[in-house]
Amino acid sequence: MSDVSIADPEMGEREIERVRSVMESGHIADGPEVRTFEDEFAAFCEADHGVATSNGTTALHAAFEALGVGSGDKVVTTPFSFVASANAIRLAGAEPVFADIDPDTFNLDPTAVEEAVRREDDVAAVVPVHLYGLPAEMDHLLDVADDHDLAVVEDAAQAHGAEYRGQRVGSLGDAACFSMYPTKNMTTGEGGMITTDRDDVAERAASFVNHGRPPEGGYEHVRVGHNFRMTSMAAAIGRVQLDRLPDYNEARRSNAAYLTDSLTDTDVVPPTVPDDREHVYHQYTIRTDDRDGLAAYLDEAGVGTGVYYPTPIHEQPAYEGVSHAAPVAERTAEQALSLPVHPNVSEQDLRTIASAIQEYER
């Protein structure tokens, strides 16, 4: 294992005590703790509703079901993301259409999205991914969606607390979906969350994740649904983690600032952050033409790295035949390298990372 790990999930006594309290209450499945977490997370995102789910993929799937996106529909999204962004589209019965990315921000290029919408028939939605914790160019994407009457689902799996023009992600589209996987900026162990300002989307999503039951529960099933529920134990962890999230994000931003300053005189390209956005650095991702060589050198220096993502989704075997040219995404997949930036990265760790890159570049 590297001395400086790429990820280091943090759990403390507060999480342990909250879980113990829930276990002693007997409400260990979906219940009051989950409802409270939903309300608190929605408030954090400045959204009206939260619907907790079992993970980020089920959050996306449930959001599509709640918006009526399914068989016969197409959904425009990025090929440069974790495969779940596209898998959830297919699981809902729709087909992904891949648009290329902005080379500086790694996010969907709105012009490419508009071209895809004009080219394809039956497009029903757009899924911008706030990749690595940086919000996508939402105003332009929302304008495209408005012009073509499309739903917008934010994939905010990596962007808890990020802001676009002073507004938190999770409140910008028709719905937004978060992951609570252990390596995310906050975690519930495994879990997900849908946020929305739309009453109808919240009601349908909450029903879908609970076997199609109405809000009052019981054994009447008003639609076909899944069991995508979050447990009360996961919600208990999430409530503590949500309280810690602002400090976690501030630590990530501070670590990122140090790295960016340290890489000024090297050939690597640090993350770009437009003035109207606040990055939360789920990943600190640089670009370099010698990605594999640098990664190997850092590994020898005791620094863990990650490649997110080595193969664009449209080039994955599962998406053979769903081919859309995305030259920027394809090139970026050969250049991108993520460095440790999590809250447990120490000042000495940062010096180690920066020195190793500087030495390699010489």
Side-chain angles (χ1 to χ4, degrees):
M1 178 179 288
S2 302
D3 296 329
V4 188
S5 63
I6 188 64
D8 186 16
E10 184 175 330
M11 292 281 182
E13 287 299 320
R14 288 179 59 200
E15 285 89 346
I16 293 169
E17 286 303 315
R18 184 66 63 82
V19 170
R20 180 180 291 114
S21 175
V22 167
M23 292 176 68
E24 290 173 348
S25 75
H27 294 289
I28 61 174
D30 183 45
E33 190 79 3
V34 180
R35 300 289 85 74
T36 301
F37 181 42
E38 289 172 334
D39 291 343
E40 291 173 349
F41 193 87
F44 176 81
C45 294
E46 301 165 358
D48 290 342
H49 305 282
V51 178
T53 69
S54 52
N55 55 62
T57 308
T58 57
L60 284 166
H61 184 178
F64 294 133
E65 297 283 352
L67 286 161
V69 175
S71 179
D73 292 328
K74 295 178 181 176
V75 179
V76 179
T77 193
T78 172
F80 193 60
S81 178
F82 184 56
V83 71
S85 300
N87 281 352
I89 295 168
R90 277 192 157 175
L91 290 168
E95 282 296 318
V97 172
F98 297 111
D100 213 347
I101 63 171
D102 181 307
D104 295 323
T105 67
F106 306 113
N107 286 323
L108 268 176
D109 179 347
T111 300
V113 171
E114 186 156 23
E115 291 172 355
V117 172
R118 293 184 184 281
R119 181 182 70 243
E120 300 284 345
D121 295 327
D122 302 317
V123 174
V126 177
V127 179
V129 178
H130 304 312
L131 197 69
Y132 304 142
L134 178 68
E137 176 52 77
M138 290 302 296
D139 278 359
H140 193 165
L141 291 169
L142 289 167
D143 285 344
V144 172
D146 286 344
D147 289 345
H148 297 275
D149 193 25
L150 309 177
V152 176
V153 178
E154 301 171 71
D155 183 338
Q158 303 179 358
H160 314 63
E163 294 184 7
Y164 177 81
R165 299 191 174 180
Q167 187 174 354
R168 290 249 171 94
V169 303
S171 60
L172 302 169
D174 292 281
C177 300
F178 295 82
S179 168
M180 310 288 179
Y181 187 73
T183 59
K184 296 301 192 289
N185 291 36
M186 62 166 287
T187 184
T188 61
E190 276 275 19
M193 186 74 72
I194 302 166
T195 56
T196 181
D197 287 335
R198 289 180 52 176
D199 296 349
D200 60 333
V201 171
E203 186 277 325
R204 287 196 293 265
S207 174
F208 183 76
V209 304
N210 190 22
H211 292 294
R213 291 181 169 103
E216 60 272 17
Y219 286 96
E220 180 185 17
H221 301 272
V222 297
R223 56 178 58 85
V224 174
H226 265 288
N227 177 1
F228 286 169
R229 299 184 300 251
M230 177 181 283
T231 69
S232 291
M233 291 178 289
I237 295 170
R239 292 184 64 198
V240 178
Q241 289 272 305
L242 181 61
D243 189 48
R244 298 183 191 273
L245 181 59
D247 289 339
Y248 285 163
N249 284 346
E250 186 54 41
R252 288 174 180 271
R253 282 191 290 267
S254 177
N255 292 341
Y258 181 98
L259 291 174
T260 296
D261 288 344
S262 301
L263 301 178
T264 300
D265 296 324
T266 70
D267 290 334
V268 304
V269 180
T272 296
V273 185
D275 291 340
D276 59 359
R277 290 168 239 186
E278 187 168 271
H279 206 317
V280 292
Y281 295 100
H282 169 62
Q283 300 292 345
Y284 182 91
T285 302
I286 61 173
R287 284 177 289 144
T288 172
D289 290 331
D290 188 20
R291 193 262 307 286
D292 294 342
L294 178 57
Y297 187 84
L298 288 169
D299 183 61
E300 291 179 3
V303 176
T305 60
V307 177
Y308 311 109
Y309 298 91
T311 304
I313 301 172
H314 70 291
E315 294 185 336
Q316 293 283 355
Y319 285 86
E320 185 177 356
V322 188
S323 180
H324 303 277
V328 179
E330 292 156 19
R331 178 63 175 153
T332 302
E334 298 172 348
Q335 297 176 316
L337 183 68
S338 294
L339 307 176
V341 76
H342 55 80
N344 289 327
V345 173
S346 68
E347 290 186 17
Q348 179 57 52
D349 293 337
L350 292 169
R351 288 193 290 270
T352 297
I353 298 166
S355 295
I357 294 174
Q358 292 162 355
E359 288 168 3
Y360 184 78
E361 290 293 313
R362 285 199 293 269

